[in-house]
Amino acid sequence: MMNTLSIVTSPQPLSFQEKGFKSPPPLKGEGDLGGEVAPIFYFLLFFFFLQDATAQTVSPERMQQVYEEIKTPHKYGLIITPSTNEKKLDCPTVFRKGKGWYMTYLIYDGRGYETWLAKSNDLLNWTTLGRLLSFTDTDTTHWDSNQRAGYVALQNTKWGGNYKLQKYDGRYWMPYLGSNTRGYEEGKLSLGMAFTTNPPHQVAEWQRLPKPTLTPDDPDVRWWENKKLYKSTVIWDKKKTTGYPFILYYNANGDTSNNNPKYRLIERIGMAVSNDMKTWKRFGQDPVIDHQSGISGDAVLQKMGDLWVMFYFGAFWNDRKDAYNRFACSYDLVNWTKWHGADLIAPSEPYDSMYAHKSYVIKHKGIVYHFYCAVNKHDQRGIAVATSKDVGKSTLNFVAPPPPKKK
């Protein structure tokens, strides 16, 4: 079991003073009482730090319990599909309002991402309602004129809870990925923030802050994120575990390859923090999830008792050619123990034969629902779901695939 787990060390190691100690006592000469006390002090100090590091690691037994709780071996199938092969669906985010369930998701149409909304009464059958972040304005020079990929924030994070969105400052909030370059995730991808005073389940264009909140050109940008910033998620930690109420997790890549192509496009997950949802400060210098190959991205958090669970996806790690969903656990939101056991979701069906990734996981009435982006060998992309109990099979399919490209 031990070889299936690994720990990511804190990006901000605590000092003597932060641990509650005064400066360590000076070593004194032989025969002085301090010469006897100091070794004991340093031994106790070492033991304290060792105990603290151990407490931050989630035990193999607890990790196995989490896996057994969240696994979803029954693939129901596709639940939302694009109307044409020119459109590709991505990144489901599920929340509840009243008795209804709602999902924001992305559609890429050749120009860039827009953010859409769908509704369901049973988490299996979904109806698309309309757009929340779109290209309706005519200013093509704005920083986000061709990419507006949003993910609703400040959800109740309790595992098996009500999954409702919370208001802050009288608004609902949505971080998003933006760029003014056409194409699939093209340009200088940066993070922005949208908000609305309308109910979040109504179709209406969300307002956006005029400038990005984080960019790869910021003066404080870190070594692993100076190329593109991707999907983000924001939780409201009212205990202020990090000293801040709002924590943003996002994946990014940077020029860390030293001209070695193998490491050039690695994506890692890191943190930023805020007091007001508008101004964000990077937290620590290192990523909190780093597999040192391929992609680690699209973090989503929920809390099981005293334990935080991060759902995220992996792709192209080491020699793998597919994409799949994973998880990690933490007691303090900074130090994460990664699960190295079986994938939560991986390609296995014709509709997800290439990629089965980008998860959103909830538990409702004793059933776990694992929503994800399904990509087949024709590069058709839709939203699928797997469940912890057998609830049947979807009859929804992709449209006929495009004809093979002529060589």
Side-chain angles (χ1 to χ4, degrees):
M1 289 293 293
M2 288 302 293
N3 62 0
T4 67
L5 304 178
S6 60
I7 183 70
V8 179
T9 57
S10 169
Q12 289 191 332
L14 300 179
S15 66
F16 286 99
Q17 290 77 15
E18 289 171 317
K19 285 290 186 182
F21 290 98
K22 298 179 180 179
S23 297
L27 292 174
K28 298 185 178 181
E30 184 177 355
D32 196 314
L33 182 61
E36 299 177 4
V37 173
I40 298 174
F41 174 86
Y42 283 106
F43 173 80
L44 293 176
L45 185 62
F46 171 78
F47 181 77
F48 179 85
F49 273 91
L50 182 64
Q51 288 291 101
D52 186 66
T54 303
Q56 291 173 347
T57 306
V58 183
S59 71
E61 294 77 15
R62 189 75 185 274
M63 293 294 289
Q64 186 68 37
Q65 290 173 0
V66 173
Y67 173 74
E68 296 298 330
E69 170 68 15
I70 63 180
K71 66 181 181 180
T72 52
H74 306 283
K75 286 189 174 180
Y76 176 75
L78 293 166
I79 54 174
I80 306 180
T81 57
S83 57
T84 69
N85 285 310
E86 288 68 39
K87 296 182 178 181
K88 302 180 186 300
L89 278 55
D90 218 340
C91 298
T93 304
V94 177
F95 65 96
R96 196 168 193 185
K97 182 68 176 178
K99 295 183 179 180
W101 292 94
Y102 297 85
M103 178 195 297
T104 62
Y105 65 96
L106 311 181
I107 294 182
Y108 172 76
D109 63 356
R111 174 179 173 178
Y113 285 128
E114 291 182 301
T115 306
W116 288 71
L117 181 70
K119 181 182 179 179
S120 175
N121 292 322
D122 60 5
L123 292 167
L124 299 176
N125 297 282
W126 293 83
T127 301
T128 295
L129 301 179
R131 292 178 292 185
L132 302 180
L133 289 177
S134 68
F135 304 139
T136 55
D137 55 16
T138 58
D139 183 3
T140 58
T141 64
H142 203 261
W143 78 270
D144 62 354
S145 59
N146 286 304
Q147 308 284 347
R148 292 173 183 170
Y151 325 94
V152 286
L154 307 188
Q155 188 174 42
N156 184 323
T157 55
K158 180 181 178 181
W159 176 248
N162 60 30
Y163 296 102
K164 294 181 179 179
L165 303 181
Q166 303 173 87
K167 276 186 175 182
Y168 169 72
D169 194 25
R171 304 170 178 178
Y172 295 101
W173 298 84
M174 181 190 297
Y176 69 99
L177 171 160
S179 164
N180 62 7
T181 305
R182 287 175 174 262
Y184 184 74
E185 298 181 350
E186 291 292 333
K188 191 173 293 182
L189 299 181
S190 301
L191 303 186
M193 186 66 69
F195 59 91
T196 186
T197 56
N198 297 319
H201 65 301
Q202 291 184 4
V203 175
E205 192 75 14
W206 287 45
Q207 297 176 267
R208 310 184 316 279
L209 297 181
K211 296 181 179 180
T213 53
L214 293 172
T215 81
D217 293 333
D218 292 334
D220 63 342
V221 72
R222 295 164 288 192
W223 59 272
W224 53 272
E225 56 163 344
N226 59 3
K227 289 297 182 183
K228 293 178 186 283
L229 311 184
Y230 294 95
K231 181 181 176 180
S232 56
T233 187
V234 179
I235 65 167
W236 191 344
D237 176 25
K238 297 180 180 179
K239 292 184 178 180
K240 297 186 178 181
T241 308
T242 63
Y244 296 84
F246 304 116
I247 306 175
L248 182 149
Y249 295 85
Y250 62 102
N251 44 302
N253 65 18
D255 189 14
T256 62
S257 64
N258 194 25
N259 295 320
N260 184 339
K262 180 179 179 181
Y263 301 107
R264 187 166 296 148
L265 297 179
I266 294 176
E267 289 182 34
R268 304 165 170 92
I269 300 173
M271 298 171 62
V273 291
S274 175
N275 284 316
D276 62 5
M277 290 294 292
K278 298 177 183 178
T279 304
W280 291 87
K281 173 185 177 182
R282 287 171 165 86
F283 187 87
Q285 289 301 310
D286 297 319
V288 295
I289 297 291
D290 181 2
H291 286 267
Q292 299 179 345
S293 66
I295 298 173
S296 303
D298 292 31
V300 176
L301 275 67
Q302 291 191 47
K303 195 171 188 183
M304 297 181 180
D306 63 339
L307 189 68
W308 288 96
V309 179
M310 177 194 291
F311 300 95
Y312 67 101
F313 86 91
F316 320 125
W317 295 349
N318 301 318
D319 295 324
R320 289 187 68 166
K321 305 299 182 183
D322 57 347
Y324 32 86
N325 286 336
R326 311 289 304 175
F327 76 97
C329 295
S330 175
Y331 291 111
D332 62 7
L333 293 167
V334 177
N335 299 279
W336 292 90
T337 303
K338 295 180 288 186
W339 170 256
H340 285 184
D343 296 325
L344 293 179
I345 294 287
S348 65
E349 303 295 331
Y351 55 82
D352 65 7
S353 56
M354 189 157 64
Y355 306 140
H357 63 330
K358 302 183 179 181
S359 58
Y360 208 91
V361 187
I362 68 170
K363 185 177 184 179
H364 178 60
K365 293 186 176 180
I367 300 177
V368 180
Y369 297 81
H370 189 138
F371 300 91
Y372 66 100
C373 175
V375 186
N376 67 11
K377 64 181 181 180
H378 304 290
D379 199 27
Q380 294 175 298
R381 290 179 175 246
I383 306 300
V385 68
T387 56
S388 58
K389 297 180 180 179
D390 190 352
V391 296
K393 293 291 184 181
S394 170
T395 59
L396 191 61
N397 295 294
F398 287 116
V399 298
K405 295 181 179 180
K406 295 181 180 180
K407 294 183 180 180

